[in-house]
Amino acid sequence: MTKAQTSPAESAAGPLSGIKIVDLTRVLAGPYCTMALADLGARVIKVELPGRGDDARHIGPFIDKKSAYFMSVNRGKESIALNLKLEEDREIFEALLEDADVLVENYRPGTMEKLGYDWESLHARFPRLIYASASGFGQTGPYREKPAYDMVVQGMGGIMSLTGHPGGEPTRVGTSIGDIGAGLFTALGIVSALYERTRSGTAQGEGRRIDVSMLDCQIAMLENGIARYFATGKVPGPLGARHPSITPFQAFKAKDGYLTIAAGNDTLFTRLCELLGLPGLAGDARFTSNEARCQNVEALTAALEARLTGEPVSHWLALLGDAGIPCGPINNVEQALSDPQVLFRNMVVSTEDPDVGEVRMAGNPVKISGFADPAARAPAPELDSGRERLLAELKARKKAAE
Amino acid sequence: MTKAQTSPAESAAGPLSGIKIVDLTRVLAGPYCTMALADLGARVIKVELPGRGDDARHIGPFIDKKSAYFMSVNRGKESIALNLKLEEDREIFEALLEDADVLVENYRPGTMEKLGYDWESLHARFPRLIYASASGFGQTGPYREKPAYDMVVQGMGGIMSLTGHPGGEPTRVGTSIGDIGAGLFTALGIVSALYERTRSGTAQGEGRRIDVSMLDCQIAMLENGIARYFATGKVPGPLGARHPSITPFQAFKAKDGYLTIAAGNDTLFTRLCELLGLPGLAGDARFTSNEARCQNVEALTAALEARLTGEPVSHWLALLGDAGIPCGPINNVEQALSDPQVLFRNMVVSTEDPDVGEVRMAGNPVKISGFADPAARAPAPELDSGRERLLAELKARKKAAE
């Protein structure tokens, strides 16, 4: 089977161009992290299990038996299949680390130690190497060796207790925020360590060990749920589609569906009431401050919806939008991906997969001056498709060193 | 009123120690970004509107009239009140920029231009300065000047269409993921530009312009909702508390509440069935692969819950947990914040506010070797409390330059 290789030259140039990342990660948190780094210009070499590869290759949805899920978080990477329990493959892996800047892994804590690739050993051997781990619960603490996936940390971290409707059944955030949060914090730690390494006292700069836990990241993202709990001692619950401490800041029912309106400060609220032909509301003592509006949110919602349900969503978006009231539709995925602003911002990019043709996916939201933001990106790699080039590079390097 | 000043020396040391950030941001996306950077060691100087300060100072929950919301995303920063329309204050602001590494703002696009602080002007004057903007829709495109808040982009970006229960009412993610996502991507862009600046061709390195849109970030976080739509052409909807393409990976009802179980691969699923005393399920043709289980998720859920509802959550967590099945409770905020792992990992830190005493909040999830992760952090600043020290620093610098 002849497969097109992903060329590193095809990767987007960016502030991290020239950085080489050896990537042992699987499924989502780690691959999402390294995709963000690849989008910023880094070269990412995915080290996968021979035969099977990243588990995500076997998770749907599939296009012609290829995982669109895998393709969408691994674009622009290279792949080499190595069994880290075999001496021959370990040699290749260690040779890859020799001039790597970063090693990222998201195994369960303990796995890398068993392979002899713990931080202490690798740091002694490759002092410049930044070694980042993303795991369910972190490298320390009583749960260190427990397995976790997105669902588990969404449940444990409290976000599910804030999501959904009062008295309703448990509700997961509809995207894997447990993985994505950890992926982003891991990427932030890695780039910070790359920056720091340029100015360490030692000749070449020192690598650091980065330890990110999915559960920790859920806590870091709980935001005002924590403030509310510590300020009041009351345990906050889910609030449907409204903000806990800004009102109005929620979904409202119109004639043919819902829209969002976020007019929490007094100026915006007064303007909103005027536009809706309800000027009396702005002067109503129950609604004259954000605090008062939060306390009387049911009454306010009823009063606003009595008017809003009289006209369709499009009517209100035009009227309120023109007047500068923050508002918007509640888009489904199709509508979001065809939104003119989303398309203008190049947030839907495409790759050309050698088997299935064009595959579209989310673009890079970090827009930086001086770097192109190409609409066409390198596809996700076939398993082991980078082997020949990588081995040739290692050979050439060895020769040059002789 | 005598107030304790936040000393930059109290800030956590980290890979970004020595970096100076001038921070014009308000409310959440920007302040969340600069808090993450402060946690990594950067010095953050918050420039606020005289008199009123950051809007978040006026958003609840309050402790003794002080906003716990504000305190929880501004710890460890310094504050100076400047009116950028007054010549005298503009001089101070520009003097602050002279040796700043980063300027961050989250005004509506156009505001900085009107103040004469557009990228082109500032870059010409301060070529090393990295200039980052987080806005609702970005600095370009048809919606550029539209106002947006978290609620609006959660609605427009598609995440609400994936969150909640089939046929149910709109459901907001219970935390401000629109702001937090943008804050994290902005921080990632900033640190990448800091890294790149160390190796630019020019003598001192060049600053970059970073343009992050909250809506773009929502698209970047939609994850497999996009893959599913492009792979199948079908518009994905909300699925309650389960994963769209991994099964079982969801919340299950037990006798006294819910737990999560994430046992999507065949090995874990078979082990789960054995532990539940339902070995027949693993051999049932409807459930022999993840794909089959996804297609027959209702039948599988019913079969598992028939057993799970017989015992309380604690029973199952002990049984399944000991056997290495990824599972967990659905914690409320109080439970999450008192979880032994969360506490062990120092994810609840405290600050000593000069008025209200101890205020607890989320810690830093980026754990990096060689840097302390203090449990006590510097509090959020009083409005303008850094003025004297900052002006003294500027004076000393001017003197030294003479």
Side-chain angles (χ1 to χ4, degrees):
Chain A
M1 195 162 49
T2 314
K3 295 286 181 189
Q5 283 194 336
T6 307
S7 160
E10 289 179 77
S11 296
L16 303 185
S17 291
I19 289 297
K20 181 174 157 187
I21 297 176
V22 174
D23 180 6
L24 287 172
T25 68
R26 300 94 22 83
V27 190
L28 188 52
Y32 191 86
C33 163
T34 55
M35 182 172 69
L37 300 175
D39 277 348
L40 290 163
R43 180 181 181 187
V44 177
I45 296 162
K46 202 170 162 75
V47 175
E48 301 183 73
L49 214 58
R52 179 172 170 83
D54 184 339
D55 282 341
R57 292 185 183 272
H58 310 283
I59 298 174
F62 298 99
I63 305 176
D64 298 346
K65 296 189 180 166
K66 289 186 79 163
S67 167
Y69 178 62
F70 174 82
M71 289 192 272
S72 71
V73 285
N74 289 287
R75 64 173 144 85
K77 303 177 186 176
E78 300 165 60
S79 167
I80 184 167
L82 297 175
N83 180 342
L84 298 183
K85 290 174 183 163
L86 298 182
E87 196 45 43
E88 194 186 318
D89 284 7
R90 290 172 67 89
E91 275 173 29
I92 298 171
F93 177 68
E94 291 162 30
L96 286 172
L97 291 182
E98 247 166 54
D99 66 349
D101 298 283
V102 182
L103 172 67
V104 199
E105 61 92 18
N106 65 343
Y107 285 111
R108 206 189 304 179
T111 306
M112 291 295 280
E113 283 86 337
K114 272 181 219 150
L115 289 166
Y117 294 137
D118 53 284
W119 158 245
E120 287 73 18
S121 307
L122 288 184
H123 183 57
R125 207 166 145 194
F126 309 109
R128 291 180 70 252
L129 186 70
I130 292 159
Y131 183 135
S133 299
S135 58
F137 299 111
Q139 305 294 313
T140 60
Y143 302 170
R144 159 187 149 86
E145 292 190 12
K146 283 196 186 192
Y149 287 110
D150 176 79
M151 189 73 226
V152 175
V153 299
Q154 281 206 25
M156 291 178 75
I159 199 169
M160 284 181 67
S161 76
L162 301 173
T163 302
H165 290 265
E169 286 183 25
T171 306
R172 176 179 180 265
V173 176
T175 177
S176 298
I177 200 65
D179 287 298
I180 291 170
L184 286 173
F185 277 111
T186 306
L188 185 59
I190 288 170
V191 183
S192 300
L194 279 170
Y195 170 72
E196 192 227 0
R197 203 183 59 174
T198 64
R199 39 180 219 166
S200 293
T202 60
Q204 288 198 292
E206 288 273 320
R208 296 277 184 187
R209 170 90 173 105
I210 295 157
D211 164 17
V212 169
S213 135
M214 289 167 68
L215 181 60
D216 287 0
C217 294
Q218 289 298 290
I219 301 295
M221 296 170 86
L222 267 188
E223 191 230 336
N224 74 17
I226 298 185
R228 274 183 288 152
Y229 171 65
F230 282 136
T232 65
K234 282 183 212 150
V235 177
L239 293 171
R242 70 176 177 87
H243 193 280
S245 44
I246 308 177
T247 305
F249 199 102
Q250 64 198 85
F252 286 100
K253 203 172 200 164
K255 195 173 189 173
D256 60 346
Y258 290 85
L259 74 159
T260 62
I261 301 176
N265 73 45
D266 297 343
T267 314
L268 285 173
F269 177 64
T270 304
R271 204 188 303 165
L272 173 69
C273 294
E274 283 162 8
L275 285 163
L276 296 182
L278 299 166
L281 281 188
D284 188 317
R286 292 171 301 169
F287 310 132
T288 47
S289 71
N290 179 56
E291 220 178 336
R293 289 190 293 274
C294 286
Q295 276 160 17
N296 300 294
V297 60
E298 282 86 6
L300 181 61
T301 303
L304 293 174
E305 285 190 342
R307 183 86 183 83
L308 290 165
T309 48
E311 302 286 347
V313 168
S314 59
H315 171 84
W316 297 119
L317 292 182
L319 181 75
L320 305 181
D322 286 350
I325 302 286
C327 63
I330 297 180
N331 286 330
N332 65 29
V333 171
E334 181 174 64
Q335 292 163 332
L337 296 177
S338 55
D339 181 278
Q341 182 75 6
V342 168
L343 296 176
F344 185 96
R345 300 274 298 176
N346 193 34
M347 284 308 297
V348 180
V349 298
S350 65
T351 65
E352 190 65 28
D353 186 86
D355 293 320
V356 306
E358 187 187 34
V359 178
R360 283 179 289 171
M361 54 191 68
N364 173 17
V366 185
K367 313 293 185 191
I368 306 186
S369 66
F371 294 110
D373 180 26
R377 304 281 175 142
E382 295 302 306
L383 179 60
D384 206 30
S385 60
R387 170 174 291 264
E388 272 175 53
R389 190 184 46 242
L390 287 162
L391 293 185
E393 282 178 20
L394 295 180
K395 208 170 164 184
R397 199 184 62 206
K398 205 174 169 186
K399 208 163 196 175
E402 278 169 6
Chain B
M1 198 162 46
T2 314
K3 295 287 180 191
Q5 285 194 334
T6 307
S7 159
E10 287 179 77
S11 295
L16 303 186
S17 291
I19 289 296
K20 180 173 157 188
I21 296 175
V22 174
D23 180 5
L24 287 172
T25 68
R26 299 95 21 84
V27 188
L28 188 54
Y32 191 86
C33 164
T34 55
M35 181 171 70
L37 299 174
D39 278 346
L40 290 163
R43 179 181 183 189
V44 177
I45 297 162
K46 203 171 161 73
V47 175
E48 300 183 74
L49 213 59
R52 180 173 169 81
D54 185 340
D55 282 341
R57 292 185 183 273
H58 310 282
I59 298 174
F62 297 98
I63 306 175
D64 299 348
K65 296 191 181 166
K66 288 186 80 164
S67 168
Y69 178 62
F70 174 82
M71 290 192 272
S72 70
V73 285
N74 289 286
R75 63 174 145 84
K77 302 178 187 175
E78 301 165 57
S79 168
I80 183 167
L82 297 175
N83 179 342
L84 298 184
K85 291 175 184 162
L86 298 181
E87 197 44 45
E88 194 186 320
D89 284 7
R90 290 173 67 90
E91 274 173 31
I92 298 170
F93 177 68
E94 291 162 30
L96 286 172
L97 292 182
E98 247 165 56
D99 67 349
D101 298 284
V102 182
L103 171 67
V104 198
E105 61 93 17
N106 67 343
Y107 286 111
R108 204 189 306 179
T111 306
M112 292 294 280
E113 283 87 336
K114 275 182 215 147
L115 290 165
Y117 293 137
D118 53 285
W119 157 245
E120 286 74 18
S121 307
L122 288 183
H123 184 56
R125 205 165 146 193
F126 309 108
R128 290 179 72 251
L129 186 70
I130 291 159
Y131 183 134
S133 300
S135 59
F137 299 111
Q139 305 295 313
T140 59
Y143 303 170
R144 160 187 150 87
E145 292 190 11
K146 283 196 186 192
Y149 287 110
D150 176 78
M151 190 71 226
V152 174
V153 299
Q154 280 205 25
M156 291 177 75
I159 199 169
M160 283 180 67
S161 76
L162 301 173
T163 302
H165 290 265
E169 288 183 23
T171 306
R172 176 179 180 265
V173 176
T175 177
S176 299
I177 200 63
D179 287 299
I180 291 170
L184 286 172
F185 276 111
T186 306
L188 184 59
I190 288 170
V191 182
S192 299
L194 279 169
Y195 170 71
E196 193 227 0
R197 203 182 60 173
T198 65
R199 40 180 218 166
S200 293
T202 60
Q204 288 197 293
E206 288 271 321
R208 295 279 184 186
R209 169 90 172 106
I210 294 157
D211 164 17
V212 169
S213 136
M214 290 167 68
L215 180 60
D216 287 0
C217 294
Q218 289 299 289
I219 301 295
M221 297 169 86
L222 267 188
E223 192 230 334
N224 74 17
I226 297 186
R228 275 183 287 152
Y229 171 64
F230 282 136
T232 65
K234 283 184 211 148
V235 177
L239 293 172
R242 70 175 176 87
H243 192 280
S245 44
I246 309 176
T247 304
F249 198 102
Q250 65 199 83
F252 286 100
K253 203 171 202 165
K255 195 173 189 173
D256 60 346
Y258 290 86
L259 75 158
T260 62
I261 301 175
N265 72 44
D266 297 343
T267 314
L268 286 173
F269 177 64
T270 304
R271 204 187 305 166
L272 172 68
C273 294
E274 282 163 8
L275 287 163
L276 296 183
L278 299 165
L281 281 189
D284 188 317
R286 292 171 301 169
F287 310 133
T288 46
S289 71
N290 179 57
E291 219 178 337
R293 289 189 293 275
C294 287
Q295 276 159 18
N296 299 295
V297 60
E298 281 86 8
L300 181 61
T301 303
L304 294 173
E305 285 191 342
R307 184 85 182 86
L308 290 164
T309 48
E311 300 287 346
V313 168
S314 59
H315 170 83
W316 296 120
L317 291 182
L319 181 76
L320 305 182
D322 285 350
I325 303 285
C327 62
I330 297 180
N331 286 330
N332 64 31
V333 171
E334 182 174 62
Q335 291 163 332
L337 296 177
S338 56
D339 181 278
Q341 182 73 8
V342 168
L343 296 175
F344 185 96
R345 300 273 298 175
N346 194 33
M347 283 309 298
V348 180
V349 298
S350 65
T351 65
E352 191 63 29
D353 185 86
D355 293 319
V356 306
E358 187 188 33
V359 179
R360 283 180 289 171
M361 55 191 69
N364 174 19
V366 185
K367 313 292 187 192
I368 307 187
S369 66
F371 294 110
D373 180 26
R377 303 282 175 140
E382 295 301 307
L383 179 60
D384 207 29
S385 60
R387 169 173 292 265
E388 272 175 52
R389 190 184 46 241
L390 287 163
L391 294 186
E393 282 179 20
L394 294 181
K395 209 169 162 183
R397 198 183 63 205
K398 205 172 167 185
K399 210 164 195 173
E402 280 169 6

